[in-house]
């Protein structure tokens, strides 16, 4: 929210010399965050004055362009030029070359004299051009930094000004003003207005606040105005989408009149572009009071206005010229002709106020937050109005805002206010909160006095009634965030001053340190980082297609996943069932930015819905739910096991002289899986696997000794990589870390290192082609007995000398005894026992 200081001073006692930085420093005290300072004089410096064109001679040039040689008076006739400097003519008349053609002799314009500096560090000086000495520049609005129009220079009469020659143009156009920009959190929507910020500034400085609403004279009641009916047949969560609709009519409006400079300059500093007088008035009232308005050309309306939900198949062309298909949840403004606006978001083009409009119908309504937020997101239509409605607008300000708009249309647009009006709807009940006397002190750690508590709550705008055990507080209508005693406690602390809260370091309670699972997770993540992988974080929101691809091994199987009720993006509308989709997207984004050699890993929860999800109702605020209610809530939460995954693309190291980097492949993904097992003390069984996201011939299934599958590793499927513009080869691994933690021993005991020598023997076995090497290796390990220390596959061969349909597997066996040196016969006997078991199970034949 940008706050022009001149506007803020109308309702708060801001010192005359205060800067935007000073104002932000005060607002920080009451919980706002500083964002930026907007000060035209940071890039614009005088002398910049009002001048009058005395003569204009058109001079065609050889390049086909025609320039104007102008004599411009910048000092009232008969007065002396008080400005000095190179290029400033003491006669008060400047000779200036100008290429624009939208002005004539006698027009008053903005003249930047030599010595002035325009935005972009454009310095004005006297210079010879087109055969003349041009001493200054006649400026356009874009050159002054106050607009985008660069088709011609700024003629002051076009914006309703007729100032005296020589007047300081920067002061005339409000360019000495400045604005402080603060960040407004979603729970404090009232601060999206000068009214709200002025009240907060008064809280911060202890000064007087003048409510701008108090300056508007509003009729006690309105009747006989334009007919309006509220008919919400399908309210969201049982709350009507509209509970107030005020309408006023102003006739005889001249929509072509210019917006006054004081209004356009304030809007500009507040970040709003000046469009036309009626539109500017509606925006001005919205910024001042926080109530969005909408103006209709009443002559274009047809019959009664009805506020209702959309019907199937309805469409609307909005003010931005786009036709939009409406959803049954959209709250609409309609008349006899059909839809004329999406409530609280954007109006329709058919009833737009234009230069020919003479009768304006003003809408000041109160819409429910969820309806507006959903329509805004659904149609991708962020607007200043929807930003305020979805955060909550004061119900009681609608008639005040409508009257303020009426007054401005009468004053500035020459309109005539109709005494009749419309105001339909039902006021909501005030939120009443009981606050025990000692509650705030117990929560904050300060012994607040009764005066501090009542003053803080009354300054908020609430009414405070003393009760036997504390206070009964009626929250102000503009503070939708105040619902519980904790909310009031927070406000008391904020207004008394956060700096009054003592800084006391809590004493750490005695404990046992990290839990077993926390230790395991840290050990695992550290091992991955030590192995050279980079940890990243990705969003847990993915598409249905991504869950179906990565979340289940079977081709074409549909993965049951949790669909979000209110997703950030419809494309990513599900919670992930696998870490790989997000990690895959991180890798793809890095590759698109030129980072080709990647080894990324991530750990996080996946969401596996089972049984009944959610609960039939949401527990009320302000009280602790019972154990039964909490158990029901936990039962409705999906299972969220911890997974860890890694993705590899490119090479393992940069290329260098004398060094050829090695491409990452399936073996690297498998090594990471084995590393996880080694770190946790879990023996992983590796076997040939199949997963639709992985290469059909280069995929390993990872299991526990119990047979439970804990993950997959290998190269990703070439078609998957091609469809996502990834390199032709990339490897990945994903493990269910929760299962690994459960399988790990509480204490990993290191095996003693034997001092006796090792006996090594190799064996090559011919087995059918379809027998997995891992199963043969397991048989050898089992058959060799306790003397076998390790067995590893070191060669696979199929070709000459091997029968068709068979393959040769070569294993290295390491034997060692803990109490003696093995003889060759003992090692050979163990080897023969291992071969015998492999022959029995698989028909293995020793080569």
């Amino acid at each position: 929210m940008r706050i022009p200081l001149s506007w803020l001073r109308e309702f708060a006692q801001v010192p005359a010399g205060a800067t935007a930085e000073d104002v932000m420093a005060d607002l920080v005290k009451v919980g706002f965050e500083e964002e930026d300072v907007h000060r035209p004089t940071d890039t614009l410096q005088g002398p910049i004055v009002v001048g009058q064109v005395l003569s204009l001679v058109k001079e065609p040039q050889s390049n086909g362009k025609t320039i104007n040689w102008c004599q411009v008076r910048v000092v009232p006739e008969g007065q002396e030029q008080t400005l000095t400097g190179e290029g400033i003519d003491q006669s008060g008349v400047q000779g200036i070359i100008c290429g624009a053609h939208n002005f004539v002799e006698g027009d008053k314009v903005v003249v930047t004299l030599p010595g002035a500096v325009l935005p972009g560090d454009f310095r004005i000086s006297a210079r010879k051009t087109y055969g003349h000495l041009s001493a200054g520049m006649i400026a356009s609005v874009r050159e002054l930094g106050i607009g985008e129009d660069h088709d011609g220079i700024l003629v002051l009469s076009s914006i309703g000004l007729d100032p005296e020659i020589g007047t300081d143009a920067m002061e005339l156009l409000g360019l000495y003003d400045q604005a402080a920009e603060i960040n407004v959190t979603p729970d404090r929507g009232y601060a999206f207005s000068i009214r709200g910020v002025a009240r907060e500034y008064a809280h911060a400085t202890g000064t007087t606040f003048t409510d701008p609403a108090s300056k508007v004279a509003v009729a006690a009641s309105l009747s006989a105005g334009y007919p309006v009916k509220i008919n919400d047949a399908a309210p969201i969560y049982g709350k009507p989408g509209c509970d107030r609709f005020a309408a006023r009519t102003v006739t005889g409006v001249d929509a072509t009149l210019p917006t006054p400079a004081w209004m356009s300059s304030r809007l500009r500093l507040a970040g709003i572009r000046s469009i036309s007088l009626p539109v500017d008035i509606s925006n001005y009232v919205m910024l001042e009071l926080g109530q969005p308005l909408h103006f209709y050309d009443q002559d274009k309306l047809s019959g009664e206005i009805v506020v209702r939900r959309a019907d199937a198949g309805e469409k609307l062309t909005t003010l931005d010229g786009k036709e939009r298909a409406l959803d049954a949840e959209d709250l609409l403004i309609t008349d006899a002709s059909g839809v004329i606006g999406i409530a609280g978001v954007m109006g329709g083009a058919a009833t737009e106020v234009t230069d020919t409009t003479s009768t304006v119908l003003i809408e000041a309504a109160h819409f429910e937050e969820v309806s507006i937020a959903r329509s805004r997101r659904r149609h991708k239509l962020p607007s200043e109005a929807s930003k305020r409605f979805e955060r909550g607008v004061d119900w009681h300000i609608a008639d005040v805002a409508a009257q303020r708009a009426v007054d401005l249309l009468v004053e500035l647009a020459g309109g005539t206010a109709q005494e009749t009006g419309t105001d339909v709807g039902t006021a909501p009940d005030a939120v009443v909160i009981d606050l025990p006397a000692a509650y705030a002190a117990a929560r904050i750690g300060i012994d607040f006095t009764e005066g501090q508590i009542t003053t803080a709550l009354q300054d908020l705008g609430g009414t405070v009634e003393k009760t036997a055990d504390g206070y009964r507080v009626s929250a102000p209508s503009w503070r939708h965030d105040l619902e519980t005693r904790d909310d009031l406690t927070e406000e008391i602390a904020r207004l008394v001053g956060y700096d009054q809260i003592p800084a006391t370091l809590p004493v750490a309670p005695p404990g046992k340190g990290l839990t077993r699972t926390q230790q395991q997770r840290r050990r695992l993540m550290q091992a991955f980082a030590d192995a050279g992988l980079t940890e990243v974080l990705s969003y847990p929101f993915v598409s249905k297609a991504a869950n179906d691809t990565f979340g289940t091994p079977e081709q074409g199987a549909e993965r049951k996943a949790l669909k979000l009720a209110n997703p950030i993006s419809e494309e990513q509308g599900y919670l992930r069932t696998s870490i790989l989709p997000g990690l895959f997207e991180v890798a793809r984004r890095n590759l698109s930015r030129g980072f080709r050699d990647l080894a990324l890993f991530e750990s996080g929860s996946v969401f596996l819905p089972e049984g009944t999800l959610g609960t039939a109702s949401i527990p009320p605020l302000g009280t602790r739910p019972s154990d039964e209610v909490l158990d029901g809530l936990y039962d409705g939460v999906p299972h969220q096991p911890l997974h860890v995954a890694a993705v590899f693309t490119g090479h393992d190291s940069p290329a260098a002289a004398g060094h050829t980097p090695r491409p990452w492949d399936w073996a690297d993904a498998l090594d990471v899986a084995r590393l996880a097992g080694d770190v946790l003390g879990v023996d992983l069984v590796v076997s040939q696997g199949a997963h639709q996201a992985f290469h059909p011939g280069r995929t390993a299934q990872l299991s526990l000794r119990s047979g439970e599958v804990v993950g997959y590793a290998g190269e990703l499927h070439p078609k998957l990589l091609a469809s996502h513009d990834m390199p032709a080869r990339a490897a990945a691994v994903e493990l269910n870390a929760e299962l690994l933690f459960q399988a790990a021993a509480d204490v990993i005991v290191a095996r003693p290192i034997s001092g006796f020598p090792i006996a090594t023997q190799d064996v090559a076995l011919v087995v059918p082609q379809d027998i997995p090497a891992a199963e043969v290796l397991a048989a050898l390990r089992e058959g060799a007995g306790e003397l076998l220390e390790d067995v590893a596959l070191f060669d696979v061969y199929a070709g000459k000398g091997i029968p068709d349909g068979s393959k040769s597997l070569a294993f290295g066996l390491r034997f060692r005894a803990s109490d003696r040196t093995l003889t060759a016969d003992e090692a050979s006997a163990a080897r023969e026992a291992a071969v015998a078991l492999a022959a029995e199970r698989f028909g293995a034949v020793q080569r």
Side-chain angles (χ1 to χ4, degrees):
M1 173 68 186
R2 296 185 184 184
I3 310 110
L5 266 57
S6 64
W7 207 346
L8 184 63
R9 286 190 175 98
E10 288 189 17
F11 312 113
Q13 296 177 336
V14 182
T19 64
E21 289 87 349
D22 297 330
V23 169
M24 288 194 297
D26 287 324
L27 291 174
V28 164
K29 298 176 185 176
V30 286
F32 292 103
E33 296 179 4
E34 299 174 333
E35 283 290 322
D36 203 355
V37 171
H38 303 272
R39 188 164 33 226
T41 54
D42 286 345
T43 57
L44 186 69
Q45 298 175 23
I48 303 175
V49 300
V50 173
Q52 185 172 37
V53 180
L54 300 180
S55 66
L56 181 155
V57 178
K58 296 187 178 297
E59 298 183 355
Q61 303 298 309
S62 58
N63 60 6
K65 182 178 179 180
T66 299
I67 58 96
N68 298 311
W69 170 237
C70 306
Q71 297 296 311
V72 185
R73 178 172 292 283
V74 294
V75 175
E77 190 170 3
Q79 295 186 18
E80 294 183 0
Q81 172 64 275
T82 57
L83 298 173
T84 60
E86 186 178 353
I88 297 180
D89 197 313
Q90 293 305 301
S91 70
V93 177
Q94 299 287 126
I96 299 175
I97 292 289
C98 183
H101 299 283
N102 67 319
F103 64 103
V104 296
E105 293 177 356
D107 280 344
K108 290 183 178 178
V109 295
V110 176
V111 180
T112 59
L113 295 172
V117 180
L118 300 183
D121 198 28
F122 183 64
R123 299 178 179 273
I124 305 301
S125 61
R127 60 192 180 92
K128 192 163 185 178
T129 180
Y130 294 109
H132 300 281
L133 182 65
S134 181
M137 187 176 77
I138 305 175
S140 69
V141 293
R142 192 166 78 177
E143 288 163 340
L144 293 171
I146 60 175
E148 294 301 319
D149 185 9
H150 197 53
D151 294 336
I153 56 95
L154 173 59
V155 178
L156 294 173
S157 61
S158 68
I159 58 172
L161 296 177
D162 185 21
E164 182 181 9
I165 297 171
T167 299
D168 185 341
M170 292 181 65
E171 183 174 357
L172 178 72
L173 299 174
L175 296 176
Y176 290 124
D177 200 0
Q178 53 188 299
E181 184 174 359
I182 57 173
N183 178 39
V184 178
T185 53
D187 60 326
R188 301 175 74 178
Y190 66 92
F192 276 116
S193 67
I194 299 298
R195 181 192 189 208
V197 174
R199 179 182 282 108
E200 290 295 330
Y201 182 83
H203 295 336
T205 57
T207 54
T208 303
F209 162 66
T210 302
D211 191 343
S214 67
K215 294 187 173 185
V216 181
V218 181
S221 62
L222 295 171
S223 61
Y226 198 92
V228 175
K229 181 170 71 175
I230 300 173
N231 182 26
D232 185 0
I236 297 176
Y237 299 139
K239 295 184 66 175
C242 177
D243 57 7
R244 188 177 192 184
F245 196 110
R248 296 291 303 278
T249 299
V250 181
T251 60
V253 170
D254 185 353
T256 64
L257 290 174
T259 301
W262 60 267
M263 179 179 284
S264 60
S265 67
R266 284 184 175 181
L267 290 174
R268 181 177 64 252
L269 269 179
I272 303 292
R273 180 172 58 92
S274 178
I275 297 173
S276 68
L277 181 56
V279 175
D280 291 349
I281 288 174
S282 69
N283 285 331
Y284 189 85
V285 174
M286 176 187 68
L287 290 173
E288 185 171 83
L289 298 174
Q291 169 68 56
L293 303 175
H294 187 72
F295 288 2
Y296 301 93
D297 186 331
Q298 185 166 313
D299 294 331
K300 297 177 182 177
L301 294 175
S302 175
E304 181 183 42
I305 287 179
V306 178
V307 185
R308 61 170 174 82
R309 299 287 171 177
D311 293 330
E314 284 190 299
K315 295 183 178 181
L316 170 68
T317 300
T318 46
L319 289 172
D320 57 2
K322 295 182 179 179
E323 185 179 72
R324 302 180 185 275
L326 302 174
D327 185 89
E329 273 194 351
D330 287 331
L331 188 68
L332 306 179
I333 311 298
T334 68
D335 67 1
S337 67
V339 185
I340 58 174
I342 303 174
V345 178
M346 186 172 285
T351 56
E352 179 183 7
V353 172
T354 64
D355 288 349
T356 61
T357 299
S358 61
T359 302
V360 174
L361 180 70
I362 302 167
E363 168 203 303
H366 186 267
F367 299 119
E368 190 265 332
E369 295 90 339
V370 174
S371 290
I372 304 308
R374 290 188 179 181
S375 289
R376 189 265 300 170
R377 282 194 289 270
R378 184 180 300 114
H379 297 288
K380 297 180 175 61
L381 261 178
S383 65
E384 291 293 330
S386 65
K387 179 168 66 177
R388 287 162 175 80
F389 277 127
E390 62 186 82
R391 288 164 173 80
V393 171
D394 184 1
W395 189 95
H396 294 280
I397 202 69
D399 56 338
V400 178
Q403 183 63 52
R404 176 68 165 140
V406 168
D407 296 342
L408 288 172
L409 284 171
V410 170
E411 176 188 351
L412 303 177
T416 301
Q418 300 299 296
E419 297 301 322
T420 59
T422 304
D423 195 351
V424 296
T426 304
D429 295 332
V431 176
V432 179
I433 307 165
D434 288 321
L435 178 68
Y439 191 84
R443 292 297 182 277
I444 304 301
I446 300 177
D447 291 329
F448 295 109
T449 66
E450 180 178 329
Q452 286 177 316
I453 293 174
T454 55
T455 300
L457 296 175
Q458 288 169 350
D459 284 349
L460 287 176
T463 58
V464 183
E465 176 188 346
K466 193 76 171 68
T467 62
D469 59 350
Y471 311 89
R472 177 159 294 166
V473 183
S474 296
S477 56
W478 56 86
R479 291 299 302 269
H480 301 272
D481 57 316
L482 301 182
E483 297 180 332
T484 68
R485 59 185 63 177
D486 292 301
D487 297 330
L488 295 181
T489 299
E490 181 182 341
E491 290 301 297
I492 293 168
R494 185 173 70 88
L495 296 187
V496 171
Y498 291 135
D499 57 339
Q500 300 300 311
I501 301 175
T504 305
L505 289 175
V507 177
K512 299 179 181 179
L514 299 176
T515 66
R516 175 176 179 267
T517 300
Q518 289 170 334
Q519 292 174 345
Q520 289 172 320
R521 181 172 182 175
R522 288 197 179 188
R523 196 159 61 243
L524 184 59
M525 297 304 99
Q526 188 62 52
F528 279 21
D530 291 344
L533 281 74
T534 300
E535 186 173 13
V536 298
L537 289 175
S538 64
Y539 286 113
F541 314 122
V542 300
S543 66
K544 182 178 184 302
N547 269 337
D548 290 345
T549 300
F550 289 96
T552 182
E554 294 81 13
Q555 181 72 36
E558 185 172 328
R559 183 63 156 122
K560 185 178 180 183
L562 196 65
K563 191 177 191 306
L564 297 170
N566 194 18
I568 295 175
S569 165
E570 291 297 335
E571 290 77 15
Q572 281 79 42
Y574 292 80
L575 287 175
R576 66 189 178 191
T577 59
S578 164
I579 295 288
L580 282 176
L583 196 56
F584 189 75
E585 179 60 26
V586 171
R588 191 191 65 79
R589 190 178 300 115
N590 277 274
L591 285 163
S592 70
R593 285 158 175 76
F595 299 99
R596 304 254 170 216
D597 301 327
L598 301 172
L600 309 176
F601 80 95
E602 179 180 4
S603 66
S605 297
V606 298
F607 305 86
L608 308 178
E610 298 172 357
T612 302
L613 296 175
T615 56
S617 61
I618 299 175
L621 298 174
T623 57
R624 185 185 185 279
S626 66
D627 291 341
E628 293 78 11
V629 172
L630 289 174
D631 289 342
L633 291 173
Y634 288 128
D635 289 342
V637 174
H639 183 45
Q640 301 172 42
L642 180 73
H643 278 211
V644 59
V647 169
F648 304 86
T649 68
H651 298 81
D652 65 346
S653 58
H659 169 68
T660 301
R662 181 182 62 82
W664 295 113
D665 60 17
W666 62 269
D668 296 292
L670 191 55
D671 284 345
V672 167
R674 286 180 170 137
L675 173 64
D678 290 344
V679 168
L680 298 173
V682 176
D683 192 9
L684 287 178
V685 177
V686 180
S687 60
Q688 181 71 41
H691 192 293
Q692 60 177 324
F694 286 81
H695 193 292
R698 299 170 187 162
T699 304
Q701 178 178 284
L702 307 166
S703 308
L704 301 175
R705 285 290 173 195
S706 63
E708 189 171 13
V709 177
V710 295
Y712 292 86
E715 290 189 13
L716 291 170
H717 201 292
K719 290 184 178 179
L720 178 67
L721 295 171
S723 66
H724 289 79
D725 297 323
M726 293 279 283
R729 297 185 71 174
V733 57
E734 180 165 12
L735 297 167
N736 186 328
E738 183 176 282
L739 294 179
L740 293 179
F741 296 162
Q742 293 171 358
D746 289 337
V747 178
I748 301 174
V749 180
R751 289 181 296 181
I753 300 175
S754 174
F756 295 97
I758 195 167
T760 302
Q761 296 202 15
D762 296 338
V763 62
L765 302 176
V766 177
V767 297
Q769 188 72 41
D770 59 350
I771 299 298
E775 294 183 14
V776 178
L777 185 145
L780 291 174
R781 178 181 284 115
E782 182 181 345
E786 62 181 12
L787 294 179
L788 181 69
E789 183 177 272
D790 188 33
V791 57
L793 174 72
F794 65 84
D795 185 52
V796 179
Y797 173 72
K800 186 177 180 180
I802 303 298
D804 292 340
S806 299
K807 60 184 176 182
S808 172
L809 304 176
F811 297 91
L813 293 84
R814 293 157 51 98
F815 299 98
R816 191 187 332 240
S818 61
D819 57 351
R820 68 188 187 282
T821 300
L822 290 178
T823 66
D825 289 341
E826 288 178 307
S828 296
R831 185 194 68 177
E832 294 304 324
V835 171
L837 185 58
E840 177 186 337
R841 289 186 178 176
F842 309 111
V845 177
Q846 186 172 350
R847 290 179 66 187

